Amino acid sequence: PAQPLCGFSNAVVQILRLHGVEDYRAHDVLQDPDLRQGIKNYSNWPTIPQVYLNGEFVGGCDILLQMHQNGDLVEELKKLGIRSALLDAEKDKEKK
Amino acid sequence: GSAGPLARTIRAKLTAALQPTHLEVRNDSPLHGGPPGAETHFGVLVVSGRFAGLAPLQRHRLVHEALRAELAGPLHALQVTAQTPQQWQSHPQNNPPAPPCLGGSKREKRRG
């Protein structure tokens, strides 16, 4: 989403952007009350945002932030065949 | 300000469920446009031996389970930091601050 309306959702968007991940499906639950409740039932998770990688529920904003900080997100993206942009940023640093 | 009823409930339920060695409960509702006294958005820092061996997702689920009724009700958002006592001792940290609110609650579609 270009304009998330929630600070926690925006944090997820910004983290993904840092890794160069912009091509993903996003669903605005503010536009769909049935989805908003349905996804909470599906994942047995009480809050939004909810992040799914390859159909698997990963967690919310806090967990994604933790994964970003400890390097797990780079690894999980790699498993999906996605090369994190941060790996290239590291390479650029080393060249200087 | 003094802790409101939901803050007290959160504290009591997390204490009973997880026997934390350290617990912080933060009311972030004012950051999300809440009027004075609002109790909708909270952040918690829970340090408990119960989290040992559990991945972050499992830790957060334990916290959510303790607050199931509240999360189905007035508690709209809950930031969670869940650490074992060993982790807490090596990296004592404040509750990370909530990301800035972008006003989403004001734009909800309402039924009927």
Side-chain angles (χ1 to χ4, degrees):
Chain A
Q3 285 286 312
L5 293 179
C6 158
F8 301 111
S9 293
N10 188 50
V12 169
V13 169
Q14 296 309 323
I15 289 170
L16 293 174
R17 185 166 291 161
L18 281 175
H19 288 265
V21 178
E22 305 230 26
D23 181 20
Y24 53 88
R25 282 160 69 180
H27 303 269
D28 182 0
V29 299
L30 293 178
Q31 297 301 314
D32 188 344
D34 291 330
L35 176 63
R36 186 174 181 175
Q37 188 53 49
I39 199 66
K40 293 178 184 177
N41 297 341
Y42 174 80
S43 57
N44 191 25
W45 185 265
T47 52
I48 305 293
Q50 297 191 5
V51 180
Y52 292 76
L53 292 180
N54 212 27
E56 192 182 320
F57 178 62
V58 163
C61 165
D62 295 337
I63 290 180
L64 197 74
L65 180 60
Q66 206 170 317
M67 291 172 67
H68 165 65
Q69 288 170 335
N70 67 17
D72 283 353
L73 184 54
V74 171
E75 289 309 308
E76 290 303 312
L77 290 172
K78 188 185 288 185
K79 288 181 197 170
L80 299 179
I82 299 171
R83 181 181 168 79
S84 169
L86 293 185
L87 292 172
D88 299 322
E90 283 298 313
K91 269 195 172 170
D92 291 340
K93 272 193 209 163
E94 282 159 29
K95 280 185 196 154
K96 287 179 183 155
Chain B
S2 50
L6 183 52
R8 288 196 296 273
T9 299
I10 290 171
R11 178 167 283 277
K13 287 198 173 181
L14 290 178
T15 300
L18 297 170
Q19 297 88 46
T21 56
H22 184 75
L23 175 63
E24 293 177 22
V25 177
R26 189 188 71 225
N27 185 351
D28 286 333
S29 311
L31 298 175
H32 297 267
E39 291 196 297
T40 53
H41 295 63
F42 277 83
V44 295
L45 166 62
V46 188
V47 181
S48 168
R50 294 280 308 277
F51 295 139
L54 297 184
L57 189 63
Q58 278 64 44
R59 296 182 185 193
H60 287 214
R61 286 198 186 280
L62 278 184
V63 173
H64 292 163
E65 196 51 47
L67 299 174
R68 181 174 275 269
E70 290 69 30
L71 284 160
L75 186 53
H76 174 87
L78 183 67
Q79 256 199 309
V80 175
T81 303
Q83 305 212 320
T84 61
Q86 290 79 2
Q87 286 176 311
W88 177 244
Q89 264 151 29
S90 29
H91 301 290
Q93 60 194 254
N94 292 326
N95 242 344
C101 176
L102 296 177
S105 316
K106 303 187 182 84
R107 295 273 295 268
E108 290 174 40
K109 255 192 185 176
R110 300 197 181 276
R111 283 188 192 276

